[in-house]
Amino acid sequence: MTKTAFDVCVSGSGAVAMSLALALSADGWRVAWAKAPASGKPGQPDVRTYALNARAINLLERLRVWPALKASSAAVLEMDVRGDEGGALSFSAWQQCVRELAWIVDAAELERLLGEAMRFAPRVEVVPPVTEQGSPVDASLLAICEGKFSGTRSSLGVSFARQEYGHWGVAARLKATQPHHGVARQWFRSPDILALLPFNQPDPVASYGLVWSVPQARAEHLLSLNPSEFEQELQDAILLSDASAPAKVGQLSLTSPVAAWPLALAQASRWTGPGWVLLGDAAHLVHPLAGQGLNLGLADVDTLVTVLKQARADEPWRSPGDERTLRRYARQREWPTKAMAGLTDGLLHLFADERAPVRDLRNAGMSLVQRLGPVKNWLIGRALDN
């Protein structure tokens, strides 16, 4: 039986894979979607929230899924970041001359809307998953968007050395007794990092998405608690971090189950090869403390589509899987991903150090950045477009 010819075979099932397939289809490529099995536990609700930056939103607008997603999302107008010894750093949309710093979106709703769009995408055909025997179709380019445990990446001999943090990310949905006013709050506390992201479900003005990075033993303890016990430990942690915070946030109550997963830092040894390319978590993992994981993956999509489109216009004799073209993509994405990985890794280790001189230095540094406008603007600029 002769295989059907495609320009690109996209392997994966998540937001990065679907965004890539939709974007390529919109630009006229013939796309095979090798839909990989979902990685989540069957029947387990997805309680994750994503903080999407301007570049990610622009991509979703082009894919025509943002208007529907925006209706269930919350804008971040300000960020209030606190250290563990008085350090403080704040950002606001008006200081950056933008309408919002980010949008907090429901992970499950994003994937649902992308899946709906895939049903109506021209030039996209769903095919069986990629196996050890290779792609199920004849395609010039295999785009691997299979996530951090990608089997296809391993079969290509690409190493993906994981640096385990010994921390887990704890996530849940919360309702507060005080409105969030579009303020995202984050506390760097040795040895954990706690963030409350403004959300609009179930209460449009007083809900949060929780992202809490804690040592594994603490995460396992938190998972063992009943809802009221978890809520009390969370309130205690916030009070310990910032005595003024409870008055601003109010009482918090769970509106979802609590989920947790191990955190790691990783970078693929190669991103491209003859006829294949890595995107998203298959190419890189970063700590979620800056909320940039999916933003990096969607920036991969945006860059690859732009590179392929430009190559088609300038060098139409090159196929999508041409290795020289793919190396252009890798060069453009290498610095932003390594820079973000270095930033998040450095911050995590800096605030995990419990020595008094280091503690004093990091909090003084945080307050210094607050006073240095150009430095602060540069930092937020990188987060808005990576």
Side-chain angles (χ1 to χ4, degrees), residues 53-54 290 292 295 340 378-386:
N53 64 13
Q292 295 300 312
N295 287 322
M340 186 56 65
W378 182 87
L379 284 172
I380 196 65
R382 301 290 70 73
L384 288 171
D385 185 8
N386 55 34

Side-chain angles (χ1 to χ4, degrees), residues 252-269:
L252 295 168
S253 56
L254 282 168
T255 62
S256 76
V258 178
W261 60 92
L263 303 177
L265 175 71
Q267 188 97 214
S269 58

Side-chain angles (χ1 to χ4, degrees), residues 187 189 192 194 212 218 231-242:
W187 296 274
R189 307 152 13 94
D192 58 309
L194 196 163
W212 195 358
R218 182 77 191 282
E231 291 161 4
Q232 187 59 56
E233 290 224 11
L234 176 59
Q235 295 283 170
D236 291 345
I238 292 173
L239 178 61
L240 186 63
S241 304
D242 178 5

Side-chain angles (χ1 to χ4, degrees), residues 10-347:
V10 177
S11 179
S13 62
V16 171
M18 288 187 283
S19 297
L20 178 62
L22 287 168
L24 290 170
S25 168
D27 276 344
W29 303 102
R30 294 164 297 167
V31 180
W33 181 26
K35 186 178 179 181
S39 58
K41 295 181 180 178
Q44 190 80 359
D46 190 345
V47 300
R48 295 173 300 160
T49 49
Y50 293 132
L52 296 185
N53 64 13
R55 185 174 184 179
I57 297 300
N58 287 338
L59 174 63
L60 295 178
E61 284 179 335
R62 298 201 305 272
L63 301 181
R64 301 183 180 180
V65 300
W66 176 240
L69 183 62
K70 183 179 180 181
S72 62
S73 304
V76 177
L77 305 178
E78 298 180 35
M79 294 183 62
D80 183 9
V81 184
R82 301 297 178 101
D84 49 2
E85 289 290 341
L89 188 57
S90 62
F91 304 95
S92 70
W94 70 266
Q95 288 175 333
Q96 300 301 316
C97 301
V98 295
R99 286 176 296 181
E100 57 276 320
L101 295 174
W103 284 87
I104 308 302
V105 306
D106 183 315
E109 182 65 3
L110 170 61
E111 294 196 1
R112 187 189 72 79
L113 289 170
L114 287 170
E116 284 292 313
M118 289 289 283
R119 292 174 52 200
F120 303 101
R123 295 175 291 276
V124 174
E125 182 177 327
V126 179
V127 300
V130 174
T131 66
E132 294 179 357
Q133 285 69 47
S135 172
V137 297
D138 180 18
S140 170
L141 174 62
L142 174 61
I144 303 161
C145 314
E146 299 171 352
K148 55 190 172 184
F149 299 117
S150 170
T152 307
R153 179 191 60 216
S154 300
S155 70
L156 290 167
V158 178
S159 64
F160 194 67
R162 289 168 58 96
Q163 175 189 320
E164 301 291 345
Y165 282 123
H167 277 217
W168 284 22
V170 176
R173 305 285 176 80
L174 304 162
K175 186 178 182 301
T177 56
Q178 294 290 337
H180 55 61
H181 297 300
V183 180
R185 304 184 184 279
Q186 187 171 38
W187 296 274
F188 284 83
R189 307 152 13 94
S190 178
D192 58 309
I193 302 166
L194 196 163
L196 294 177
L197 307 177
F199 200 46
N200 74 338
Q201 298 176 37
D203 185 331
V205 299
S207 298
Y208 288 101
L210 170 69
V211 183
W212 195 358
S213 170
V214 297
Q216 179 178 345
R218 182 77 191 282
E220 292 171 345
H221 165 70
L222 292 171
L223 289 173
S224 73
L225 301 177
N226 63 41
S228 61
E229 291 170 337
F230 182 91
E231 291 161 4
Q232 187 59 56
E233 290 224 11
L234 176 59
Q235 295 283 170
D236 291 345
I238 292 173
L239 178 61
L240 186 63
S241 304
D242 178 5
S244 68
K248 301 171 186 174
V249 175
Q251 291 294 313
L252 295 168
S253 56
L254 282 168
T255 62
S256 76
V258 178
W261 60 92
L263 303 177
L265 175 71
Q267 188 97 214
S269 58
R270 289 184 296 147
W271 284 34
T272 66
W276 62 266
V277 63
L278 299 176
L279 298 93
D281 285 356
H284 45 74
L285 285 180
V286 298
H287 193 282
L289 65 87
Q292 295 300 312
L294 182 59
N295 287 322
L296 290 173
L298 294 180
D300 292 347
V301 170
D302 192 28
T303 301
L304 179 61
V305 171
T306 300
V307 166
L308 292 177
K309 188 175 180 179
Q310 191 66 49
R312 182 174 58 184
D314 296 344
E315 304 166 301
W317 61 89
R318 295 189 185 278
S319 67
D322 182 89
E323 193 170 5
R324 180 177 174 181
T325 300
L326 297 176
R327 284 199 295 266
R328 295 171 189 163
Y329 154 77
R331 285 194 297 269
Q332 290 185 38
R333 294 303 300 145
E334 182 179 19
W335 186 86
T337 54
K338 285 187 175 180
M340 186 56 65
L343 175 64
T344 56
D345 186 61
L347 284 172

